[in-house]
Amino acid sequence: MTTIIDGKETSRQVLQNLHVEIEQLKQAGHTPGLAVVLVGEDPASRVYVNSKVRACEELGIYSQKWTLPTETTQDELVQLIHQLNADTRIHGILVQSPPPEHIDEQAVILNIDPRKDVDGFHPINVAKLVLEDPSGFVPCTPLGCMELLRVYGIPTQGKHAVVIGRSMIVGKPMANLLVAKNANATVTIAHSRTADLPGLCRTADILVAAVGRPGLVTADFIKPGAVVLDVGINRVEDATRPRGYRIVGDVDFASVQPVCSAITPVPGGVGPMTIAMLMSNTVKACKLACGV
Ligand code: GUN
């Protein structure tokens, strides 16, 4: 029997625990605060940003939503970041990725105070992840994947994990988390130029797909009994749906599910965990700032 890893329910439990912690912080006079910045009109980004702000409201986290027009300049965006760095109500700053093409995302990230970088994108936090320094911030999606493995009691020690995708948001931090001494997996990072991707993936005990290619991973990629984490959130046209599209992962769920021992569905798998971990990182930033 294949376990369907329920990210919705797991995220609910994470948020429930955070709610208690936030109430305690508030009673001590500390309200966690998150600023979410969206530049441009990307419809998917708009949905994500709104979900993040809604999660703050439900938990009692103070939030600011900044929606800036596509033509916002780099200087204007950096100016806002400096304003948010100085705002003591704000403990976490998130600039939704990807920004419009004329914005140098890395340069913007460098301007975020690393202590408020709840995305874990600043080089200081990237270094802390590699150094296994727990005072840093880890990107929310891979952090959510690790939480799912932990909650479902899926062992990582001595296992071969293959991560498909080398992004700074998911692939690379995921590989770092899996290889760290508290996980002890043996990790391979695969990407678009990897030779014999299906053959390599068939050596994986844990397979993480994070490439943004709908249905790339099919049954022939899977060692029987492997654990499959699908990080893909892809919109594919579907005239039968009210919005004209549906969301699918990087994994062809129907063919893979019978072969693996556990799998995250899309939607309802990794996605909800990303927001829960963002809330968790915001609470962590508040506690670090307030010295509690
Ligand atoms: N775009 C897709 N995922 C993320 C994320 O985790 N953080 C930010 N800032 N942008 C994203």
Side-chain angles (χ1 to χ4, degrees):
M1 256 284 281
T2 304
T3 301
I4 308 296
I5 298 174
D6 189 342
K8 228 171 159 175
E9 177 51 32
T10 309
S11 72
R12 232 193 312 270
Q13 287 162 15
V14 171
L15 293 173
Q16 211 166 46
N17 293 336
L18 278 176
H19 192 243
V20 175
E21 210 174 336
I22 290 164
E23 284 308 308
Q24 287 167 351
L25 279 168
K26 281 181 158 177
Q27 271 170 20
H30 310 297
T31 301
L34 175 68
V36 182
V37 181
L38 172 65
V39 186
E41 308 289 334
D42 181 68
S45 291
R46 202 171 272 267
V47 172
Y48 297 143
V49 161
N50 286 338
S51 314
K52 289 166 184 175
V53 172
R54 200 175 328 116
C56 286
E57 285 164 1
E58 283 168 11
L59 274 184
I61 290 179
Y62 168 71
S63 66
Q64 291 180 7
K65 180 171 99 170
W66 294 82
T67 42
L68 307 180
T70 308
E71 56 274 15
T72 302
T73 66
Q74 176 94 9
D75 281 352
E76 286 168 335
L77 180 55
V78 167
Q79 214 166 19
L80 172 60
I81 299 296
H82 289 166
Q83 177 189 320
L84 297 171
N85 282 342
D87 189 334
T88 53
R89 295 168 299 176
I90 296 296
H91 304 102
I93 301 169
L94 178 147
V95 180
Q96 186 65 26
S97 182
E101 270 186 10
H102 67 277
I103 301 281
D104 177 349
E105 188 172 16
Q106 204 51 38
V108 172
I109 289 166
L110 277 175
N111 280 280
I112 298 175
D113 183 334
R115 294 167 297 186
K116 296 193 177 190
D117 171 38
V118 284
D119 258 328
F121 294 167
H122 190 286
I124 294 261
N125 286 315
V126 176
K128 284 185 173 182
L129 170 57
V130 177
L131 292 164
E132 302 183 30
D133 174 345
S135 74
F137 292 99
V138 175
C140 303
T141 301
L143 199 56
C145 290
M146 295 305 288
E147 181 67 5
L148 287 174
L149 292 175
R150 190 188 68 77
V151 168
Y152 277 79
I154 295 165
T156 53
Q157 177 152 312
K159 303 295 182 188
H160 183 210
V162 173
V163 179
I164 318 175
R166 53 181 158 183
S167 71
M168 292 305 296
I169 297 189
V170 186
K172 284 184 186 145
M174 186 75 220
N176 278 119
L177 287 167
L178 284 162
V179 83
K181 288 183 196 75
N182 60 3
N184 283 319
T186 303
V187 182
T188 304
I189 304 181
H191 48 78
S192 54
R193 307 297 163 90
T194 295
D196 185 19
L197 183 62
L200 173 69
C201 291
R202 273 197 304 277
T203 69
D205 304 302
I206 298 168
L207 182 62
V208 183
V211 272
R213 297 257 311 268
L216 170 79
V217 174
T218 44
D220 56 316
F221 283 55
I222 309 297
K223 173 156 91 174
V227 173
V228 180
L229 302 181
D230 187 354
V231 180
I233 301 179
N234 309 295
R235 286 184 179 198
V236 296
E237 273 185 37
D238 185 343
T240 69
R241 300 295 173 100
R243 289 196 175 87
Y245 66 85
R246 70 194 147 89
I247 301 292
V248 300
D250 291 345
V251 175
D252 176 34
F253 188 88
S255 76
V256 167
Q257 188 242 317
V259 189
C260 62
S261 63
I263 184 168
T264 59
V266 176
V270 174
M273 293 302 290
T274 297
I275 292 191
M277 300 330 278
L278 174 64
M279 300 298 111
S280 171
N281 276 352
T282 302
V283 170
K284 176 178 175 176
C286 173
K287 284 159 72 178
L288 284 172
C290 303
V292 293

